[in-house]
PDB file of all heavy atoms in Angstrom:
ATOM      1  N   TYR J  98      -0.675 -54.795 -16.681  1.00 95.00           N
ATOM      2  CA  TYR J  98      -0.059 -54.532 -15.383  1.00 95.00           C
ATOM      3  C   TYR J  98       1.426 -54.209 -15.498  1.00 95.00           C
ATOM      4  O   TYR J  98       1.918 -53.247 -14.899  1.00 95.00           O
ATOM      5  CB  TYR J  98      -0.272 -55.743 -14.480  1.00 95.00           C
ATOM      6  CG  TYR J  98       0.308 -55.593 -13.096  1.00 95.00           C
ATOM      7  CD1 TYR J  98      -0.209 -54.652 -12.208  1.00 95.00           C
ATOM      8  CD2 TYR J  98       1.354 -56.391 -12.674  1.00 95.00           C
ATOM      9  CE1 TYR J  98       0.315 -54.504 -10.930  1.00 95.00           C
ATOM     10  CE2 TYR J  98       1.894 -56.252 -11.398  1.00 95.00           C
ATOM     11  CZ  TYR J  98       1.364 -55.315 -10.526  1.00 95.00           C
ATOM     12  OH  TYR J  98       1.889 -55.178  -9.279  1.00 95.00           O
ATOM     13  N   LEU J  99       2.169 -54.985 -16.309  1.00 96.00           N
ATOM     14  CA  LEU J  99       3.606 -54.763 -16.442  1.00 96.00           C
ATOM     15  C   LEU J  99       3.953 -53.781 -17.554  1.00 96.00           C
ATOM     16  O   LEU J  99       5.086 -53.298 -17.617  1.00 96.00           O
ATOM     17  CB  LEU J  99       4.320 -56.090 -16.699  1.00 96.00           C
ATOM     18  CG  LEU J  99       4.233 -57.119 -15.563  1.00 96.00           C
ATOM     19  CD1 LEU J  99       4.854 -58.443 -16.006  1.00 96.00           C
ATOM     20  CD2 LEU J  99       4.934 -56.600 -14.318  1.00 96.00           C
ATOM     21  N   ALA J 100       2.995 -53.493 -18.423  1.00 96.00           N
ATOM     22  CA  ALA J 100       3.230 -52.596 -19.572  1.00 96.00           C
ATOM     23  C   ALA J 100       4.478 -52.997 -20.338  1.00 96.00           C
ATOM     24  O   ALA J 100       5.260 -52.151 -20.783  1.00 96.00           O
ATOM     25  CB  ALA J 100       3.330 -51.146 -19.107  1.00 96.00           C
ATOM     26  N   ALA J 101       4.674 -54.306 -20.497  1.00 97.00           N
ATOM     27  CA  ALA J 101       5.857 -54.810 -21.192  1.00 97.00           C
ATOM     28  C   ALA J 101       5.768 -54.508 -22.683  1.00 97.00           C
ATOM     29  O   ALA J 101       4.686 -54.542 -23.279  1.00 97.00           O
ATOM     30  CB  ALA J 101       6.000 -56.313 -20.967  1.00 97.00           C
ATOM     31  N   GLY J 102       6.888 -54.242 -23.286  1.00 97.00           N
ATOM     32  CA  GLY J 102       6.936 -53.903 -24.696  1.00 97.00           C
ATOM     33  C   GLY J 102       6.816 -55.126 -25.579  1.00 97.00           C
ATOM     34  O   GLY J 102       7.722 -55.433 -26.366  1.00 97.00           O
ATOM     35  N   VAL J 103       5.694 -55.812 -25.481  1.00 98.00           N
ATOM     36  CA  VAL J 103       5.413 -57.022 -26.259  1.00 98.00           C
ATOM     37  C   VAL J 103       4.333 -56.697 -27.277  1.00 98.00           C
ATOM     38  O   VAL J 103       3.330 -56.051 -26.949  1.00 98.00           O
ATOM     39  CB  VAL J 103       4.947 -58.172 -25.341  1.00 98.00           C
ATOM     40  CG1 VAL J 103       4.504 -59.381 -26.164  1.00 98.00           C
ATOM     41  CG2 VAL J 103       6.053 -58.552 -24.362  1.00 98.00           C
ATOM     42  N   THR J 104       4.519 -57.152 -28.503  1.00 98.00           N
ATOM     43  CA  THR J 104       3.500 -56.994 -29.538  1.00 98.00           C
ATOM     44  C   THR J 104       2.892 -58.355 -29.834  1.00 98.00           C
ATOM     45  O   THR J 104       3.608 -59.299 -30.173  1.00 98.00           O
ATOM     46  CB  THR J 104       4.084 -56.394 -30.818  1.00 98.00           C
ATOM     47  OG1 THR J 104       4.543 -55.063 -30.553  1.00 98.00           O
ATOM     48  CG2 THR J 104       3.035 -56.338 -31.923  1.00 98.00           C
ATOM     49  N   VAL J 105       1.585 -58.453 -29.702  1.00 98.00           N
ATOM     50  CA  VAL J 105       0.851 -59.676 -30.020  1.00 98.00           C
ATOM     51  C   VAL J 105       0.205 -59.488 -31.383  1.00 98.00           C
ATOM     52  O   VAL J 105      -0.565 -58.545 -31.580  1.00 98.00           O
ATOM     53  CB  VAL J 105      -0.221 -59.969 -28.956  1.00 98.00           C
ATOM     54  CG1 VAL J 105      -1.034 -61.210 -29.336  1.00 98.00           C
ATOM     55  CG2 VAL J 105       0.419 -60.143 -27.586  1.00 98.00           C
ATOM     56  N   VAL J 106       0.539 -60.361 -32.317  1.00 97.00           N
ATOM     57  CA  VAL J 106      -0.055 -60.311 -33.655  1.00 97.00           C
ATOM     58  C   VAL J 106      -1.005 -61.497 -33.772  1.00 97.00           C
ATOM     59  O   VAL J 106      -0.592 -62.647 -33.625  1.00 97.00           O
ATOM     60  CB  VAL J 106       1.019 -60.350 -34.751  1.00 97.00           C
ATOM     61  CG1 VAL J 106       0.373 -60.295 -36.132  1.00 97.00           C
ATOM     62  CG2 VAL J 106       1.991 -59.189 -34.575  1.00 97.00           C
ATOM     63  N   ALA J 107      -2.280 -61.206 -34.011  1.00 96.00           N
ATOM     64  CA  ALA J 107      -3.335 -62.215 -33.940  1.00 96.00           C
ATOM     65  C   ALA J 107      -4.021 -62.395 -35.289  1.00 96.00           C
ATOM     66  O   ALA J 107      -4.985 -61.683 -35.600  1.00 96.00           O
ATOM     67  CB  ALA J 107      -4.350 -61.826 -32.873  1.00 96.00           C
ATOM     68  N   PRO J 108      -3.552 -63.310 -36.125  1.00 95.00           N
ATOM     69  CA  PRO J 108      -4.269 -63.636 -37.357  1.00 95.00           C
ATOM     70  C   PRO J 108      -5.477 -64.517 -37.074  1.00 95.00           C
ATOM     71  O   PRO J 108      -5.708 -64.926 -35.942  1.00 95.00           O
ATOM     72  CB  PRO J 108      -3.213 -64.372 -38.182  1.00 95.00           C
ATOM     73  CG  PRO J 108      -2.339 -65.029 -37.160  1.00 95.00           C
ATOM     74  CD  PRO J 108      -2.311 -64.087 -35.980  1.00 95.00           C
ATOM     75  N   TYR J 109      -6.247 -64.790 -38.117  1.00 94.00           N
ATOM     76  CA  TYR J 109      -7.463 -65.599 -37.997  1.00 94.00           C
ATOM     77  C   TYR J 109      -8.485 -64.926 -37.076  1.00 94.00           C
ATOM     78  O   TYR J 109      -9.245 -65.604 -36.390  1.00 94.00           O
ATOM     79  CB  TYR J 109      -7.154 -67.010 -37.491  1.00 94.00           C
ATOM     80  CG  TYR J 109      -6.412 -67.885 -38.481  1.00 94.00           C
ATOM     81  CD1 TYR J 109      -5.039 -67.764 -38.655  1.00 94.00           C
ATOM     82  CD2 TYR J 109      -7.090 -68.827 -39.245  1.00 94.00           C
ATOM     83  CE1 TYR J 109      -4.354 -68.558 -39.556  1.00 94.00           C
ATOM     84  CE2 TYR J 109      -6.411 -69.641 -40.149  1.00 94.00           C
ATOM     85  CZ  TYR J 109      -5.046 -69.494 -40.306  1.00 94.00           C
ATOM     86  OH  TYR J 109      -4.369 -70.285 -41.203  1.00 94.00           O
ATOM     87  N   ALA J 110      -8.514 -63.610 -37.045  1.00 96.00           N
ATOM     88  CA  ALA J 110      -9.502 -62.901 -36.245  1.00 96.00           C
ATOM     89  C   ALA J 110     -10.877 -63.007 -36.903  1.00 96.00           C
ATOM     90  O   ALA J 110     -11.007 -63.372 -38.080  1.00 96.00           O
ATOM     91  CB  ALA J 110      -9.100 -61.449 -36.070  1.00 96.00           C
ATOM     92  N   GLY J 111     -11.905 -62.654 -36.134  1.00 95.00           N
ATOM     93  CA  GLY J 111     -13.260 -62.774 -36.653  1.00 95.00           C
ATOM     94  C   GLY J 111     -13.572 -64.220 -36.982  1.00 95.00           C
ATOM     95  O   GLY J 111     -13.278 -65.126 -36.199  1.00 95.00           O
ATOM     96  N   VAL J 112     -14.165 -64.456 -38.147  1.00 95.00           N
ATOM     97  CA  VAL J 112     -14.435 -65.825 -38.594  1.00 95.00           C
ATOM     98  C   VAL J 112     -13.609 -66.140 -39.836  1.00 95.00           C
ATOM     99  O   VAL J 112     -14.025 -66.915 -40.699  1.00 95.00           O
ATOM    100  CB  VAL J 112     -15.944 -66.043 -38.861  1.00 95.00           C
ATOM    101  CG1 VAL J 112     -16.720 -65.957 -37.563  1.00 95.00           C
ATOM    102  CG2 VAL J 112     -16.491 -65.038 -39.874  1.00 95.00           C
ATOM    103  N   SER J 113     -12.411 -65.555 -39.915  1.00 94.00           N
ATOM    104  CA  SER J 113     -11.562 -65.799 -41.087  1.00 94.00           C
ATOM    105  C   SER J 113     -11.080 -67.240 -41.160  1.00 94.00           C
ATOM    106  O   SER J 113     -10.751 -67.734 -42.231  1.00 94.00           O
ATOM    107  CB  SER J 113     -10.372 -64.832 -41.100  1.00 94.00           C
ATOM    108  OG  SER J 113      -9.608 -64.954 -39.920  1.00 94.00           O
ATOM    109  N   GLY J 114     -11.038 -67.933 -40.019  1.00 89.00           N
ATOM    110  CA  GLY J 114     -10.751 -69.369 -40.027  1.00 89.00           C
ATOM    111  C   GLY J 114     -12.040 -70.163 -40.126  1.00 89.00           C
ATOM    112  O   GLY J 114     -12.256 -71.116 -39.367  1.00 89.00           O
ATOM    113  N   ALA J 115     -12.893 -69.802 -41.097  1.00 88.00           N
ATOM    114  CA  ALA J 115     -14.272 -70.289 -41.135  1.00 88.00           C
ATOM    115  C   ALA J 115     -14.369 -71.813 -41.123  1.00 88.00           C
ATOM    116  O   ALA J 115     -15.187 -72.381 -40.392  1.00 88.00           O
ATOM    117  CB  ALA J 115     -14.976 -69.718 -42.364  1.00 88.00           C
ATOM    118  N   TRP J 116     -13.551 -72.487 -41.921  1.00 85.00           N
ATOM    119  CA  TRP J 116     -13.660 -73.940 -42.025  1.00 85.00           C
ATOM    120  C   TRP J 116     -13.238 -74.637 -40.740  1.00 85.00           C
ATOM    121  O   TRP J 116     -13.584 -75.794 -40.509  1.00 85.00           O
ATOM    122  CB  TRP J 116     -12.801 -74.443 -43.184  1.00 85.00           C
ATOM    123  CG  TRP J 116     -13.405 -74.174 -44.528  1.00 85.00           C
ATOM    124  CD1 TRP J 116     -12.959 -73.289 -45.475  1.00 85.00           C
ATOM    125  CD2 TRP J 116     -14.568 -74.782 -45.094  1.00 85.00           C
ATOM    126  NE1 TRP J 116     -13.779 -73.303 -46.575  1.00 85.00           N
ATOM    127  CE2 TRP J 116     -14.769 -74.220 -46.379  1.00 85.00           C
ATOM    128  CE3 TRP J 116     -15.470 -75.748 -44.635  1.00 85.00           C
ATOM    129  CZ2 TRP J 116     -15.825 -74.590 -47.204  1.00 85.00           C
ATOM    130  CZ3 TRP J 116     -16.519 -76.116 -45.468  1.00 85.00           C
ATOM    131  CH2 TRP J 116     -16.684 -75.537 -46.737  1.00 85.00           C
ATOM    132  N   PHE J 117     -12.486 -73.948 -39.867  1.00 86.00           N
ATOM    133  CA  PHE J 117     -12.013 -74.585 -38.639  1.00 86.00           C
ATOM    134  C   PHE J 117     -13.101 -74.686 -37.575  1.00 86.00           C
ATOM    135  O   PHE J 117     -12.939 -75.380 -36.582  1.00 86.00           O
ATOM    136  CB  PHE J 117     -10.822 -73.814 -38.063  1.00 86.00           C
ATOM    137  CG  PHE J 117      -9.606 -73.858 -38.938  1.00 86.00           C
ATOM    138  CD1 PHE J 117      -9.265 -72.777 -39.739  1.00 86.00           C
ATOM    139  CD2 PHE J 117      -8.796 -74.972 -38.976  1.00 86.00           C
ATOM    140  CE1 PHE J 117      -8.156 -72.809 -40.556  1.00 86.00           C
ATOM    141  CE2 PHE J 117      -7.676 -75.023 -39.793  1.00 86.00           C
ATOM    142  CZ  PHE J 117      -7.352 -73.938 -40.588  1.00 86.00           C
ATOM    143  N   GLY J 118     -14.180 -73.948 -37.737  1.00 83.00           N
ATOM    144  CA  GLY J 118     -15.294 -74.048 -36.811  1.00 83.00           C
ATOM    145  C   GLY J 118     -15.235 -73.045 -35.684  1.00 83.00           C
ATOM    146  O   GLY J 118     -14.293 -72.262 -35.539  1.00 83.00           O
ATOM    147  N   THR J 119     -16.265 -73.098 -34.837  1.00 85.00           N
ATOM    148  CA  THR J 119     -16.467 -72.090 -33.809  1.00 85.00           C
ATOM    149  C   THR J 119     -15.295 -71.980 -32.845  1.00 85.00           C
ATOM    150  O   THR J 119     -15.007 -70.895 -32.340  1.00 85.00           O
ATOM    151  CB  THR J 119     -17.765 -72.398 -33.043  1.00 85.00           C
ATOM    152  OG1 THR J 119     -18.856 -72.382 -33.974  1.00 85.00           O
ATOM    153  CG2 THR J 119     -18.028 -71.371 -31.970  1.00 85.00           C
ATOM    154  N   THR J 120     -14.614 -73.081 -32.568  1.00 86.00           N
ATOM    155  CA  THR J 120     -13.492 -73.020 -31.626  1.00 86.00           C
ATOM    156  C   THR J 120     -12.379 -72.111 -32.124  1.00 86.00           C
ATOM    157  O   THR J 120     -11.607 -71.582 -31.321  1.00 86.00           O
ATOM    158  CB  THR J 120     -12.900 -74.423 -31.380  1.00 86.00           C
ATOM    159  OG1 THR J 120     -12.489 -74.995 -32.633  1.00 86.00           O
ATOM    160  CG2 THR J 120     -13.917 -75.319 -30.706  1.00 86.00           C
ATOM    161  N   HIS J 121     -12.282 -71.932 -33.444  1.00 89.00           N
ATOM    162  CA  HIS J 121     -11.217 -71.114 -34.022  1.00 89.00           C
ATOM    163  C   HIS J 121     -11.711 -69.744 -34.471  1.00 89.00           C
ATOM    164  O   HIS J 121     -10.971 -68.994 -35.100  1.00 89.00           O
ATOM    165  CB  HIS J 121     -10.567 -71.849 -35.198  1.00 89.00           C
ATOM    166  CG  HIS J 121      -9.605 -72.916 -34.785  1.00 89.00           C
ATOM    167  ND1 HIS J 121      -9.978 -73.955 -33.983  1.00 89.00           N
ATOM    168  CD2 HIS J 121      -8.289 -73.100 -35.056  1.00 89.00           C
ATOM    169  CE1 HIS J 121      -8.935 -74.749 -33.782  1.00 89.00           C
ATOM    170  NE2 HIS J 121      -7.903 -74.248 -34.416  1.00 89.00           N
ATOM    171  N   HIS J 122     -12.947 -69.395 -34.155  1.00 92.00           N
ATOM    172  CA  HIS J 122     -13.449 -68.064 -34.450  1.00 92.00           C
ATOM    173  C   HIS J 122     -13.141 -67.138 -33.283  1.00 92.00           C
ATOM    174  O   HIS J 122     -13.005 -67.583 -32.147  1.00 92.00           O
ATOM    175  CB  HIS J 122     -14.961 -68.087 -34.700  1.00 92.00           C
ATOM    176  CG  HIS J 122     -15.359 -68.912 -35.883  1.00 92.00           C
ATOM    177  ND1 HIS J 122     -16.667 -69.292 -36.113  1.00 92.00           N
ATOM    178  CD2 HIS J 122     -14.635 -69.443 -36.896  1.00 92.00           C
ATOM    179  CE1 HIS J 122     -16.729 -70.015 -37.223  1.00 92.00           C
ATOM    180  NE2 HIS J 122     -15.507 -70.124 -37.714  1.00 92.00           N
ATOM    181  N   CYS J 123     -13.022 -65.847 -33.575  1.00 94.00           N
ATOM    182  CA  CYS J 123     -12.734 -64.892 -32.504  1.00 94.00           C
ATOM    183  C   CYS J 123     -13.447 -63.581 -32.797  1.00 94.00           C
ATOM    184  O   CYS J 123     -12.935 -62.738 -33.541  1.00 94.00           O
ATOM    185  CB  CYS J 123     -11.232 -64.663 -32.359  1.00 94.00           C
ATOM    186  SG  CYS J 123     -10.820 -63.733 -30.870  1.00 94.00           S
ATOM    187  N   LEU J 124     -14.606 -63.417 -32.188  1.00 96.00           N
ATOM    188  CA  LEU J 124     -15.416 -62.216 -32.353  1.00 96.00           C
ATOM    189  C   LEU J 124     -15.482 -61.405 -31.070  1.00 96.00           C
ATOM    190  O   LEU J 124     -16.327 -60.517 -30.935  1.00 96.00           O
ATOM    191  CB  LEU J 124     -16.839 -62.619 -32.776  1.00 96.00           C
ATOM    192  CG  LEU J 124     -16.936 -63.296 -34.150  1.00 96.00           C
ATOM    193  CD1 LEU J 124     -18.280 -63.997 -34.306  1.00 96.00           C
ATOM    194  CD2 LEU J 124     -16.712 -62.293 -35.263  1.00 96.00           C
ATOM    195  N   GLU J 125     -14.581 -61.708 -30.141  1.00 96.00           N
ATOM    196  CA  GLU J 125     -14.609 -61.073 -28.828  1.00 96.00           C
ATOM    197  C   GLU J 125     -13.296 -60.401 -28.454  1.00 96.00           C
ATOM    198  O   GLU J 125     -13.165 -59.857 -27.354  1.00 96.00           O
ATOM    199  CB  GLU J 125     -14.955 -62.116 -27.750  1.00 96.00           C
ATOM    200  CG  GLU J 125     -16.210 -62.911 -27.997  1.00 96.00           C
ATOM    201  CD  GLU J 125     -16.044 -64.103 -28.956  1.00 96.00           C
ATOM    202  OE1 GLU J 125     -14.875 -64.480 -29.217  1.00 96.00           O
ATOM    203  OE2 GLU J 125     -17.057 -64.625 -29.447  1.00 96.00           O
ATOM    204  N   ASP J 126     -12.300 -60.436 -29.332  1.00 97.00           N
ATOM    205  CA  ASP J 126     -10.954 -60.004 -28.939  1.00 97.00           C
ATOM    206  C   ASP J 126     -10.855 -58.509 -28.680  1.00 97.00           C
ATOM    207  O   ASP J 126     -10.147 -58.074 -27.757  1.00 97.00           O
ATOM    208  CB  ASP J 126      -9.908 -60.431 -29.977  1.00 97.00           C
ATOM    209  CG  ASP J 126     -10.206 -59.933 -31.378  1.00 97.00           C
ATOM    210  OD1 ASP J 126     -11.390 -59.760 -31.730  1.00 97.00           O
ATOM    211  OD2 ASP J 126      -9.248 -59.735 -32.152  1.00 97.00           O
ATOM    212  N   LEU J 127     -11.561 -57.685 -29.452  1.00 97.00           N
ATOM    213  CA  LEU J 127     -11.472 -56.247 -29.210  1.00 97.00           C
ATOM    214  C   LEU J 127     -12.048 -55.890 -27.848  1.00 97.00           C
ATOM    215  O   LEU J 127     -11.516 -55.017 -27.141  1.00 97.00           O
ATOM    216  CB  LEU J 127     -12.203 -55.476 -30.314  1.00 97.00           C
ATOM    217  CG  LEU J 127     -11.634 -55.632 -31.732  1.00 97.00           C
ATOM    218  CD1 LEU J 127     -12.447 -54.804 -32.714  1.00 97.00           C
ATOM    219  CD2 LEU J 127     -10.171 -55.260 -31.787  1.00 97.00           C
ATOM    220  N   ALA J 128     -13.124 -56.570 -27.459  1.00 97.00           N
ATOM    221  CA  ALA J 128     -13.715 -56.314 -26.146  1.00 97.00           C
ATOM    222  C   ALA J 128     -12.721 -56.637 -25.038  1.00 97.00           C
ATOM    223  O   ALA J 128     -12.589 -55.887 -24.061  1.00 97.00           O
ATOM    224  CB  ALA J 128     -14.985 -57.139 -25.969  1.00 97.00           C
ATOM    225  N   VAL J 129     -12.003 -57.745 -25.181  1.00 97.00           N
ATOM    226  CA  VAL J 129     -11.023 -58.146 -24.167  1.00 97.00           C
ATOM    227  C   VAL J 129      -9.859 -57.162 -24.127  1.00 97.00           C
ATOM    228  O   VAL J 129      -9.501 -56.632 -23.068  1.00 97.00           O
ATOM    229  CB  VAL J 129     -10.508 -59.577 -24.439  1.00 97.00           C
ATOM    230  CG1 VAL J 129      -9.356 -59.925 -23.503  1.00 97.00           C
ATOM    231  CG2 VAL J 129     -11.641 -60.583 -24.280  1.00 97.00           C
ATOM    232  N   LEU J 130      -9.267 -56.879 -25.278  1.00 97.00           N
ATOM    233  CA  LEU J 130      -8.063 -56.047 -25.304  1.00 97.00           C
ATOM    234  C   LEU J 130      -8.366 -54.599 -24.980  1.00 97.00           C
ATOM    235  O   LEU J 130      -7.557 -53.922 -24.324  1.00 97.00           O
ATOM    236  CB  LEU J 130      -7.372 -56.165 -26.664  1.00 97.00           C
ATOM    237  CG  LEU J 130      -6.345 -57.288 -26.809  1.00 97.00           C
ATOM    238  CD1 LEU J 130      -5.166 -57.087 -25.853  1.00 97.00           C
ATOM    239  CD2 LEU J 130      -6.933 -58.663 -26.607  1.00 97.00           C
ATOM    240  N   ARG J 131      -9.524 -54.086 -25.409  1.00 96.00           N
ATOM    241  CA  ARG J 131      -9.848 -52.696 -25.120  1.00 96.00           C
ATOM    242  C   ARG J 131     -10.086 -52.472 -23.626  1.00 96.00           C
ATOM    243  O   ARG J 131     -10.067 -51.345 -23.160  1.00 96.00           O
ATOM    244  CB  ARG J 131     -11.073 -52.246 -25.917  1.00 96.00           C
ATOM    245  CG  ARG J 131     -10.810 -52.107 -27.429  1.00 96.00           C
ATOM    246  CD  ARG J 131     -11.957 -51.440 -28.167  1.00 96.00           C
ATOM    247  NE  ARG J 131     -12.181 -50.107 -27.630  1.00 96.00           N
ATOM    248  CZ  ARG J 131     -13.203 -49.770 -26.857  1.00 96.00           C
ATOM    249  NH1 ARG J 131     -14.115 -50.667 -26.532  1.00 96.00           N
ATOM    250  NH2 ARG J 131     -13.328 -48.556 -26.409  1.00 96.00           N
TER     251      ARG J 131
END
Side-chain angles (χ1 to χ4, degrees):
Y98 181 66
L99 296 174
V103 174
T104 295
V105 177
V106 180
Y109 290 80
V112 293
S113 58
W116 285 110
F117 294 102
T119 300
T120 57
H121 282 58
H122 298 166
C123 190
L124 295 164
E125 307 82 15
D126 56 330
L127 297 181
V129 172
L130 271 297
R131 290 190 60 254

